[in-house]
Amino acid sequence: MGKIFNITADCKPNQHYMVNLDSRLAQIKEYIDRGEYFTINRARQYGKTTTLRALREYLKAQYYVISMDFQMRMSSAKFRSENTFAKAFAKAFVHIIQSLPIEAPDNMKKAVERLGTFAQEQGEELELVELFQYLSDICREADKPLVLMIDETDSAVNNQVFLDFLSQLRGYYIDREYSPTFQSVILAGVYDIKNLKRKFRPDEDHKMNSPWNIAVEFKVEMSFSPEEIAGMLKEYENEHATGMDISKIAGLIYDYTSGYPFLVSRFCKLMDEEIAGSENFPEKKSAWTYAGFLAAERILTGEKNTLFESMVNKLYDLPELKEIVYSTLFAGRESSYNALNHAIDMAHMLGFVKNDKGIAVISNRIFEVVFYNFFLSSSESRNADIYQAAVRDRNQFICAGHLNMELVLRRFVIHFNELYGGRMDKFKEEDGRRYFLLYLMPIINGTGNYYVESRTRNMERTDVIVDYQGEQMVIELKIWRGNAYHERGEKQLINYLEYYHLKKGYMLSFNFNKNKKTGVKRMILGDRKLIEAVV
């Protein structure tokens, strides 16, 4: 059986198409060679486990690598006391090191056996202090340095025992000149230990001093670059000969995902397994095209997967996070990226936002659409009058497979003025964007795609890009700020049309002046046609 694109658990080189990890493994090894302790905390399904397993193989010639998964080897019951944790950890440690395909020195074997024997003793208490004495003995007798890697440390949330375990690691790290210990310790999970500490002992005040303050900042980039995506696609192309433009498809995937590993793999899996062989794309060569990519994007942004479910649950759980996402999307408010701001730090840690030149922005186009759909598909939104008007209107906008965006704007202006024209004084500026997207969604749903161009989104202007059956349209949504500002907006839109190689553009202005003139008009600016609508 040939290789496949994988989106569950870790990726295996002999079974799955993978990005080449050698460059980042070499960078991580530099940390280990220096004896650093650090945390790999990235959002869910970001390739942490795959990276750790590849790292284990990469290091084995030079180090003894003890790779442990707290979720698999340490059930919640093992954290109920210091003794149960220490014994469970000792048993897992001994089992792993005895399973390594190496011939260890006799003294090291004896040190491992002593730990295993004590861990099995019935009625004997094993405290963390004793556990680390045994571990230190093993490190002393080993002929190669030991590296400890623990995945899924999120399983340790709300456990004082784990906090004490970190304190022991810290103590031996500080004293390692005299007491042998691990060469390097790597903890992996979504939550950084600095954030975990806030959850210990909920009945007490939050403790701001972390025992993991010995850890260095982990700066290795784990998102996939366009070149890395192209390398994976090249391996696929060598086997399937689709004739795809590898550079173009890799660039598209990166543009929409910003290299988020799960999203990259999901795009590829959809194009390979669901788009190829479908009615509109009967062969693989037709699936690996721009049209096939857009079809995959429609499926991806509309599906219910574990990543999107987790993201939405966090919005329900964390009101501050929900407010940041909403205000960024609909109000165009720019939040300065400040890692000391708990809400911003949390949004970054969960992968919702990234630092773009000092501004916190949504991490990628796919997340933007998922978040837009989440806010716009609530029962309140779907019951909105403007949404229901679009449901009634939607059949009139499609002619011979083409979306008549001018007619969409004309009908929107009519409905908006009828529904909201008499209460514009209570109208919030971000409401206009939300109402237009609410009107647009049922019209293109299932056939078209949309996203908001983040480079132009601010409190006064937003560009919505619509792809419908391979035809692209740019609609600028803006707040009316007078004729001079309006004319600048027209010029900006013309420049944007040039960027997209389009001859026609659309502008929707929300005018709060009492003496405004609403309606839709056509304009010719140079060799471009502009359809302007004012509400």
Side-chain angles (χ1 to χ4, degrees), residues 297-298 369 373 390 394 397-398 403-405 408 436-451 464-469 473 475:
E297 194 263 350
R298 283 195 295 276
V369 175
N373 288 344
R394 60 186 170 189
F397 299 122
I398 311 301
L403 173 63
N404 188 337
M405 183 56 68
V408 171
F436 178 71
L437 291 174
L438 273 174
Y439 190 75
L440 183 65
M441 278 187 67
I443 296 171
I444 66 171
N445 190 35
T447 306
N449 314 57
Y450 79 95
Y451 68 89
V464 177
I465 315 299
V466 174
D467 285 299
Y468 193 90
Q469 299 282 51
M473 286 154 273
I475 309 101

Side-chain angles (χ1 to χ4, degrees), residues 65-84:
V65 182
I66 313 303
S67 181
M68 194 177 295
D69 185 322
F70 266 9
Q71 197 171 66
M72 181 168 59
R73 296 184 179 272
M74 303 288 287
S75 66
S76 57
K78 303 302 183 186
F79 290 91
R80 68 178 179 268
S81 71
E82 184 174 334
N83 176 60
T84 55

Side-chain angles (χ1 to χ4, degrees), residues 167-185:
S167 295
Q168 289 292 322
L169 285 174
R170 179 181 184 275
Y172 272 84
Y173 173 86
I174 293 173
D175 201 37
R176 58 184 171 174
E177 183 179 352
Y178 308 102
S179 302
T181 188
F182 299 108
Q183 166 76 11
S184 180
V185 176

Side-chain angles (χ1 to χ4, degrees), residues 22 42 102 154 178 201 244 246 305 339 345 434 481 489:
D22 288 349
R42 293 293 186 274
I102 45 91
D154 298 341
Y178 308 102
R201 292 182 175 175
M244 79 167 87
I246 292 176
N305 59 49
D345 185 44
R434 185 167 67 89
R481 298 296 187 207

